């Protein structure tokens, strides 16, 4: 499958020129402890629109906690997360549970390692769900979902249940679900963790094409160097801090960011 | 331990290997509460306890009638026959509650057992371990159930029959029956575990690899109608009935046939209704609920089928009694008492069957949340509002329940339509009582569903544990 010339449905957000734009999502001085163990010990991070950032590090280095904190899933003990929404800057850390849930639903997209799609729903129903949650009529939601599935090479599989799809196909449904609302930031936690290398490559292309290719930001937690190398930037964590000794720049192969 | 430079693995020949897995030791090892919550063992134990307690109370009541003699109570035969009817009515929800407990106890072990299979345990080892554990949990639970039964006896004893409260002592079943009930619960658990675990023992890989939703064939309804026709023909072959025993036998057969037909048609009807609501579903909660029911119409039916027969019988019999009761006022005192008692009996049966359904709904829902914990956590992370999850859970249970309760009540009402009309006018209170019982029962199930919300809250509040 070729994703170099993706024809994804257009979203209302215009593509932003990378690196010149202000950060769409930023965290400063993020600290999070669980009991006696420190997951984040003061992390600063800024992600721009049209940028893909890989977060790497050993198990327990705090990468998933960082992702969850940036996404408003967990609240940091101290520090601040700011998101540049269409209506202006919002302080994610100051929001209550309900508002954060709404933010995740409407402004962010998520792709997890196992997809975690709802097994009894079909591919199109899974994809349309975020739109239905946002109040779209089902017909309209499924119409948009269908476009996304087709753009991700899943035309004809709309009515299949998740169990009838391969691992790579299921991840694409998850990608479609993450982008169907036009989320400007997509968070991916080991999106290729359960896939073989060829499929992993395909899924990564689809993920980059549908996010960065649309001018949106992508934040990927991964332990796979090949996956990280495809992002425009790598942030390495060690013991809850960004590792200064690690190389900063990664190859920008296939992301189309430099365009 | 001697200091050696290289680590030598213990040689197989150095250890005497019996070739037999220490089933009891392994089971105990895996049964201890570990990282997984204690709910794994506690939930089925509670379910078995409730099953046992309800079974003992119901049996105690029925046995009480069978101790009555015609000398003391002229209508003792009628009471005995009706008690068999009530027992038969309660058998279905009781079996489904017991089944839910047994399946829960077996299903909760799936993951570990699949792992054991991968490690090389033979299917027979895995099966014996599961059966042993489920049975142990069942016995433990039913012992708790005996205590519950003893505690509830004085309270249930306040219910009046034949003009006076029956008294707690009357409900004592005796040690023999007590032992039999515990044995029956243990056997049910063992059997369920053995059957339920077949998939795991067949394939060590993937416990949940179901790919397509089961389809309900329309032949079910054809078959159902055929069975009813044959049974009806068979029943009318008995022209006059004199003996109670014969009558009870016929009643029992009619009942078994009725239950069999309901079990044939029920899942099909539920799947048809769910398909209709799937097409119309306009909100995420409705969509999720419809798909959830279609995922297993049989399970949805099993959960609520207990009230199908009860709700039907309560409408037919309740209306009949209400009508007869008001027909003439100058009954003998005995007949009047009998009619009042039948009404009491109907109320008890309706309440008991809803109680059992409520219990099995609670057990099934709690198990369902624990089973799908990572999915719920991920949906929460995606920003799905908790109310949507709650609403869909609620709809998945309540819509089949409403469908079954209303459906069978309506069929019952249609059958005795003229009587319903008259009774509403002349005995509104009786009709209100029946309706109230049904509504109350549905509410009870809803409450039990709500009682499982903290389980979801707990799962969602600890997403970091995943």
């Amino acid at each position: 499958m070729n994703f170099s010339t993706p024809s994804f449905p257009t979203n209302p957000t215009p593509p932003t020129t990378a690196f010149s734009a202000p950060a769409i999502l930023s965290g400063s001085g993020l600290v999070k402890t669980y009991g006696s163990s420190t997951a984040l010990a003061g992390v600063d991070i800024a992600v721009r629109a049209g940028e893909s950032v890989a977060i790497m590090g050993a198990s327990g280095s705090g990468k998933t906690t960082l992702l969850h904190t940036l996404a408003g899933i967990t609240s940091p003990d101290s520090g601040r997360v700011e998101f540049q929404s269409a209506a202006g800057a919002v302080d994610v850390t100051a929001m209550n549970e309900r508002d954060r849930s709404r933010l995740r639903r409407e402004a962010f997209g998520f792709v997890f390692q196992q997809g975690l799609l709802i097994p009894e729903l079909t591919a199109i129903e899974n994809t349309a769900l975020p739109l239905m949650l946002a109040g779209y009529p089902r017909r309209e939601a499924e119409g948009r979902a269908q476009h996304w599935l087709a753009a991700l090479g899943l035309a004809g599989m709309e009515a299949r249940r998740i169990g009838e799809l391969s691992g790579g196909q299921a991840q694409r449904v998850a990608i479609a679900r993450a982008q169907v609302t036009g989320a400007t930031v997509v968070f991916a936690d080991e999106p290729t963790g359960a896939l073989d290398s060829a499929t992993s490559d395909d899924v990564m292309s689809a993920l980059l094409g549908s996010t960065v290719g649309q001018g949106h930001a992508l934040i990927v937690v991964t332990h796979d160097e090949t996956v990280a190398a495809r992002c425009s930037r790598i942030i390495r964590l060690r013991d809850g801090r960004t590792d200064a000794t690690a190389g900063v720049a990664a190859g920008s192969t296939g992301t189309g960011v430099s365009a | 331990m001697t200091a050696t430079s290289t680590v030598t693995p213990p040689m197989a020949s150095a250890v005497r290997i019996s070739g037999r897995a220490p089933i009891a030791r392994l089971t105990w090892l895996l049964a201890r509460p570990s990282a997984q919550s204690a709910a794994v063992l506690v939930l089925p134990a509670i379910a078995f306890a409730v099953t046992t307690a309800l079974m003992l109370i119901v049996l105690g009541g029925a046995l009480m009638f069978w101790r009555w003699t015609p000398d003391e109570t002229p209508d003792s035969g009628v009471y005995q026959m009706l008690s068999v009817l009530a027992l038969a009515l309660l058998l279905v929800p009781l079996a489904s509650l017991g089944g839910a407990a047994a399946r829960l106890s077996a299903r909760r072990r799936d993951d570990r057992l699949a792992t054991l299979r991968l490690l090389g345990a033979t299917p027979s080892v895995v099966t014996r371990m599961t059966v042993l554990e489920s049975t142990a949990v069942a016995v433990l639970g039913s012992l708790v159930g005996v205590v519950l039964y003893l505690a509830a006896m004085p309270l249930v004893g306040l219910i009046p029959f034949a003009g006076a409260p029956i008294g707690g002592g009357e409900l004592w079943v005796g040690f023999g029956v007590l032992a039999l009930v515990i044995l029956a619960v243990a056997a049910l658990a063992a059997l369920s575990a053995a059957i339920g675990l077949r998939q795991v023992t067949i394939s060590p890989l993937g416990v949940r690899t179901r790919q397509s939703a089961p389809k309900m064939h329309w032949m079910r309804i054809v078959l159902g109608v055929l069975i009813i026709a044959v049974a009806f023909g068979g029943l009318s072959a008995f022209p006059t009935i004199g003996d109670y025993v014969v009558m009870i036998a016929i009643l029992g057969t009619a009942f078994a046939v009725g239950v069999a037909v309901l079990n044939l048609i029920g899942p099909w009807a539920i799947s048809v209704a769910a398909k209709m609501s799937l097409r119309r579903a306009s909100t995420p909660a409705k969509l999720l609920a419809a798909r959830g029911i279609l995922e297993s119409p049989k399970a949805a039916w099993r959960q609520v089928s207990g009230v199908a027969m009860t709700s039907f019988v309560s409408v037919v019999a309740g209306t009949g009694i209400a009508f007869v009761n008001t027909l003439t006022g100058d009954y003998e005192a005995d007949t009047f008492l009998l009619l009042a008692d039948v009404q009491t009996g109907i109320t008890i049966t309706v309440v008991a069957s809803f109680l059992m359904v409520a219990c099995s709904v609670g057990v099934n829902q709690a198990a369902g949340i624990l089973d799908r914990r990572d999915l719920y956590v991920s949906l929460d992370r995606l920003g799905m509002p908790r109310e949507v999850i709650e609403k869909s859970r609620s709809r998945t249970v309540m819509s089949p329940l409403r469908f079954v309760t209303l459906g069978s009540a309506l069929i019952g009402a249609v059958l005795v339509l003229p009587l319903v009309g008259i009774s509403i006018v002349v005995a509104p209170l009786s009709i209100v009582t029946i309706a109230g019982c049904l509504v109350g029962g549905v509410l009870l199930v809803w409450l039990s569903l709500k009682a499982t919300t903290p389980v979801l809250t707990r799962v969602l509040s600890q997403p970091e544990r995943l």
Side-chain angles (χ1 to χ4, degrees):
Chain A
M1 217 145 307
N2 186 12
F3 282 95
S4 55
T5 53
S7 56
F8 296 105
T10 47
N11 283 305
T13 328
T16 329
T17 321
F19 300 113
S20 65
I24 187 165
L25 186 73
S26 61
S28 50
L30 298 175
V31 174
K32 179 79 185 177
T33 53
Y34 294 111
S36 58
S37 67
T38 306
L40 297 177
V43 175
D44 297 306
I45 182 174
V47 181
R48 296 173 196 87
E51 194 182 22
S52 53
V53 176
I55 301 174
M56 297 196 76
S59 298
S61 61
K63 44 189 198 305
T64 295
T65 305
L66 178 58
L67 185 97
H68 286 175
T69 309
L70 289 173
I73 291 169
T74 39
S75 289
D77 299 336
S78 68
R80 185 182 149 94
V81 174
E82 198 176 273
F83 170 64
Q84 204 67 41
S85 76
V90 288
D91 183 355
V92 177
T93 32
M95 286 175 151
N96 62 25
E97 173 76 44
R98 201 177 185 83
D99 288 342
R100 278 188 282 130
S101 174
R102 188 191 167 103
L103 181 76
R104 296 200 295 269
R105 183 163 72 240
E106 290 175 0
F108 296 161
F110 294 89
V111 179
F112 300 113
Q113 174 170 8
Q114 302 284 359
L116 288 171
L117 299 155
I118 301 174
E120 61 264 26
L121 297 192
T122 61
I124 195 164
E125 286 163 352
N126 264 295
T127 311
L129 201 61
L131 287 174
M132 288 181 71
L133 285 172
Y136 278 79
R138 182 160 163 208
R139 186 182 288 262
E140 162 113 35
E142 291 196 346
R144 289 192 181 210
Q146 185 160 24
H147 279 120
W148 270 101
L149 290 176
L152 286 160
L154 294 171
M157 299 189 188
E158 293 87 354
R160 292 209 189 166
R161 286 149 48 90
I162 301 310
E164 298 171 287
L165 298 173
S166 70
Q169 288 167 339
Q171 274 314 57
R172 277 171 207 213
V173 174
I175 294 170
R177 179 178 69 176
Q179 273 294 280
V180 75
T181 53
T184 50
V185 182
V186 171
F187 298 91
D189 193 353
E190 301 281 8
T192 61
L195 306 173
D196 63 75
S197 61
T199 316
S200 155
D201 216 40
D202 269 0
V203 165
M204 203 50 203
S205 298
L207 186 58
L208 284 166
S210 60
T211 53
V212 177
Q214 304 275 301
H216 298 160
L218 173 67
I219 301 172
V220 188
V221 160
T222 183
H223 63 269
D224 186 343
E225 292 286 351
T226 340
V227 167
R230 298 194 58 185
C231 297
S232 43
R233 205 145 55 93
I234 299 178
I235 290 172
R236 290 179 200 275
L237 287 184
R238 181 183 287 171
D239 302 328
R241 290 174 196 282
T242 44
D243 193 344
T245 60
V248 178
S252 54
T253 34
T255 59
V257 178
S258 52
Chain B
M1 193 154 295
T2 53
T4 43
S5 54
T6 52
V7 180
T8 20
M11 283 200 298
S13 58
V15 190
R16 267 172 50 87
I17 296 171
S18 66
R20 291 170 53 114
I23 310 273
R25 283 255 306 281
L26 276 173
T27 309
W28 176 242
L29 212 67
L30 285 170
R32 285 183 305 187
S34 58
Q36 272 199 309
S37 67
V40 171
L41 292 172
V42 172
L43 267 177
I46 291 175
F48 282 124
V50 174
T51 309
T52 310
L54 287 173
M55 199 190 268
L56 285 170
I57 289 171
V58 166
L59 269 178
L63 288 174
M64 173 189 77
F65 292 124
W66 284 82
R67 280 195 301 270
W68 288 7
T69 51
D71 311 331
E72 300 165 21
T73 326
D75 289 319
S76 61
V78 180
Y79 278 100
Q80 284 156 11
M81 194 181 68
L82 290 174
S83 73
V84 170
L85 186 71
L87 263 188
L89 271 171
L90 291 176
L91 216 60
V92 179
L94 195 61
S96 84
L97 173 58
R103 266 191 310 279
L104 174 64
S105 129
R107 186 171 46 155
R108 302 296 308 142
R109 320 302 300 166
D110 280 4
D111 306 341
R112 289 178 182 196
L113 293 170
T115 309
L116 267 183
R117 280 283 286 129
L118 279 171
L119 290 176
T122 61
S124 102
V125 166
V126 170
T127 307
R128 275 182 289 166
M129 280 180 61
T130 319
V131 170
L132 181 64
E133 189 192 274
S134 292
T135 314
V137 170
V139 170
L140 222 79
S142 61
L143 288 178
V144 175
V146 171
V147 177
L148 279 178
Y149 157 67
L150 293 175
M153 270 196 326
L155 210 68
V156 181
L158 294 177
I159 297 171
F161 267 111
I166 46 182
E170 284 291 298
L171 292 165
W172 172 243
V173 290
F175 286 104
V177 175
L178 201 72
L180 269 178
V181 165
I182 295 175
L183 261 177
V185 170
L188 174 78
L191 204 74
S192 241
I195 294 168
L197 253 284
R198 261 207 309 243
Q199 303 102 306
V200 179
T201 50
I202 286 167
S203 154
L205 291 172
V207 181
R208 287 176 212 94
T209 46
R210 257 179 317 167
Q211 300 205 324
S212 54
K215 298 229 177 342
M216 288 291 128
H217 205 277
W218 54 267
M219 269 303 284
R220 280 170 174 271
I221 190 144
V222 176
L223 213 61
V225 171
L226 264 176
I227 293 175
I228 288 184
V230 169
F232 195 74
L235 279 180
S236 26
F238 294 91
T240 45
I241 299 145
D243 195 0
Y244 278 132
V245 180
V246 175
M247 197 151 165
I248 287 169
I250 291 171
L251 257 174
T253 315
F255 226 86
V257 170
V259 168
V261 169
L262 267 176
N263 277 326
L264 260 178
I265 297 176
W268 176 82
I270 280 185
S271 86
V272 168
K275 265 185 208 141
M276 274 161 62
S277 74
L278 173 69
R279 266 196 294 275
R280 282 197 316 258
S282 55
T283 66
K286 284 179 187 166
L287 177 70
L288 283 169
R291 281 287 182 201
I293 295 166
L294 285 173
E295 183 73 6
S296 179
K298 268 190 201 158
W301 164 254
R302 214 185 293 130
Q303 193 158 265
V304 298
S305 62
V307 297
M309 211 64 174
T310 317
S311 142
F312 174 80
V313 170
S314 72
V315 168
V316 173
T319 314
I321 300 292
F323 179 68
V324 173
N325 222 350
T326 52
L327 209 57
T328 42
D330 48 18
Y331 276 130
E332 290 166 41
D334 277 350
T335 316
F336 186 73
L337 267 183
L338 176 67
L339 288 174
D341 284 351
V342 171
Q343 267 178 329
T344 311
I346 290 170
T347 311
I348 292 174
T349 311
V350 172
V351 169
S353 64
F354 270 107
L355 201 64
M356 289 169 194
V357 170
C359 283
S360 65
V361 162
V363 169
N364 282 334
Q365 283 296 311
I369 294 170
L370 293 175
D371 266 358
R372 291 163 64 107
R373 68 199 314 169
D374 22 352
L375 179 66
Y376 283 132
V377 166
S378 84
L379 290 177
D380 184 52
R381 286 181 182 166
L382 292 173
M384 179 180 278
R386 198 162 300 184
E387 307 87 79
V388 174
I389 299 180
E390 279 297 299
K391 259 188 218 156
S392 78
R393 264 186 351 108
S394 172
R395 280 188 75 92
T396 311
V397 175
M398 297 312 284
S399 64
L401 181 72
R402 270 198 308 265
F403 178 73
V404 164
T405 310
L406 278 179
S408 29
L410 261 177
I411 293 172
V414 167
L415 278 181
V416 288
L417 196 57
L419 285 189
V420 173
I422 299 167
S423 302
I424 285 177
V425 179
V426 296
L429 196 65
S430 313
I431 302 297
V432 167
T433 308
I434 297 167
C437 273
L438 295 182
V439 171
V442 171
L443 214 69
L444 191 68
V445 175
W446 183 80
L447 277 178
S448 134
L449 187 76
K450 284 290 136 191
T452 60
T453 302
V455 181
L456 181 67
T457 311
R458 224 185 58 204
V459 162
L460 292 186
S461 66
Q462 300 180 319
E464 292 308 324
R465 284 178 55 183
L466 284 171

